[in-house]
Amino acid sequence: MGEATLKAQNAKQAAEGMARLSSATRNAALEALAVALLEQTDYLVSENTKDVEAARKQGTAEPLIDRLLLNPQRISGIAAALKELALEKDPIGELTEGRTLYNGIQLRQVRVPLGVVAMIYEARPNVTADAAGLCLKTGNACLLRGGSLAVFSNLAMTKVLYEAGRAAGLPEHWLQSIETVEREATTELMQLHHLVDVLIPRGSASLIKSTIENSKVPVIETGEGNCHLYVHADTRREIIIPIMLNAKTQRPGVCNSIESILIDSEVASVELPLMLQALFDAKVLVHGDETVAALAESLPGAEDYFAPATEADWGTEYLDLEISIKCVSGVDEAIKHINTYSTHHSESILSENHVAVKRFFEEVDSAAVYANASTRFTDGGEFGLGAEIGISTQKLHARGPMGLTALTSSKFLLDGDGQIRG
């Protein structure tokens, strides 16, 4: 029996105990987890430093290093999120439907835990705490498979959180991490449909694709973000560059940063030189079509930060200081391009034209669609959901930032008085 199977069996048993916990116990445990993180900050940073140093020796890109990094400020933020989660309304037991059937039976539909929630993720130790906290709040057992790049960080955080939870009255094995770095453990985990209720991959496109194709456990697809910013002809000029730079450069390694810009040809000759110069100044490598290339060639920085776009660029999630730019004939072409190349994560239109905005809202097929705002807001905290376990880019069960309700199922409770079916 492999490690994944053994820990999944343990998680299955723990799920029964988690489901019986009162809301007060779960909330008190969340507070205890937050306190433990703050008390163990030095230990967590020390273990994280091992991962960061190893990643840099491997030549890991800086945006991925940024995802990997833990420092006292970030740990404090993670702890604060757990405390905020304790204050959120408890979804377990929530009545979603109630009525009397024709035969007099009283029907209620209520939210219940999923059971065992497993996550496979890469290079983001904060996910360890997010997953543990959300599973705890919703009465689920949590089984984690972190990536090798963050192995010391993930195991250290799991240890701190698990021990704090046990001291607060949580059942044994309520939280576990698979410790081996061997890939076979990931494959094994994907096959445990009889033990694991849902599997959530969070990381690269290749990880998500592999999980979807190989898992026998139900999967919630998350994360990959080929996000777009569309500059419509009727746009307020003063908002273009601030939104563009925020959406691309604030944290280029996250899934809600933009990877492609579309701009109406009608305003390209006026707006694009200013946009390109701002991107070059921010050291962003631009992959542009022929029109963009003609406007870029005379600008300072073009020799270092411009390259002709290929077909592959329109579908690329760079997760770095790179972006593609294409000129379009109007809202029809923009929507068609986005729906063709997008990963259905987050898209934004900059426009004062209400008809164009309405069409963009109705016809763009993505989880979050904005007008006149940065895509960087696609986040459970920003949406008022508390911590998030991921951003779903599929349509079944959950879509967009997944907070508490995404980690629940439902059951029907029926009170009768001797009714039988004729």
Side-chain angles (χ1 to χ4, degrees), residues 19 35 169 186 211 225 296 350 385 389 402 405:
V35 170
T186 303
T211 306
L350 306 186
L385 303 176
I389 202 160
M402 294 187 294
T405 58

Side-chain angles (χ1 to χ4, degrees), residues 274-309:
L274 298 174
M275 295 166 62
L276 288 167
Q277 192 61 66
L279 290 167
F280 294 162
D281 290 346
K283 297 181 169 47
V284 178
L285 175 60
V286 174
H287 303 264
D289 66 10
E290 293 180 359
T291 303
V292 179
L295 293 169
E297 61 183 2
S298 62
L299 297 176
E303 63 276 13
D304 296 318
Y305 296 109
F306 183 82

Side-chain angles (χ1 to χ4, degrees), residues 286-333:
V286 174
H287 303 264
D289 66 10
E290 293 180 359
T291 303
V292 179
L295 293 169
E297 61 183 2
S298 62
L299 297 176
E303 63 276 13
D304 296 318
Y305 296 109
F306 183 82
T310 66
E311 175 67 20
D313 284 303
W314 309 133
T316 297
E317 182 187 25
Y318 299 106
L319 296 174
D320 206 342
L321 290 174
E322 290 188 61
I323 200 163
S324 63
I325 303 182
K326 179 181 177 65
C327 291
V328 294
S329 59
V331 67
D332 286 335
E333 186 180 354

Side-chain angles (χ1 to χ4, degrees), residues 13 35 49 64 69 74 100 105 109 111 122 142 160 164 203 209 228 240 243 268 304 316 347 354 387 393 405:
Q13 294 178 356
V35 170
T49 299
L64 288 180
L69 181 67
R74 289 189 176 181
T100 303
I105 293 177
Q109 186 178 21
R111 293 194 185 279
E122 299 172 326
C142 185
V160 170
K209 182 174 184 290
H228 294 74
I240 297 174
I243 289 177
D304 296 318
T316 297
E347 330 294 344
H354 298 301
T393 53
T405 58

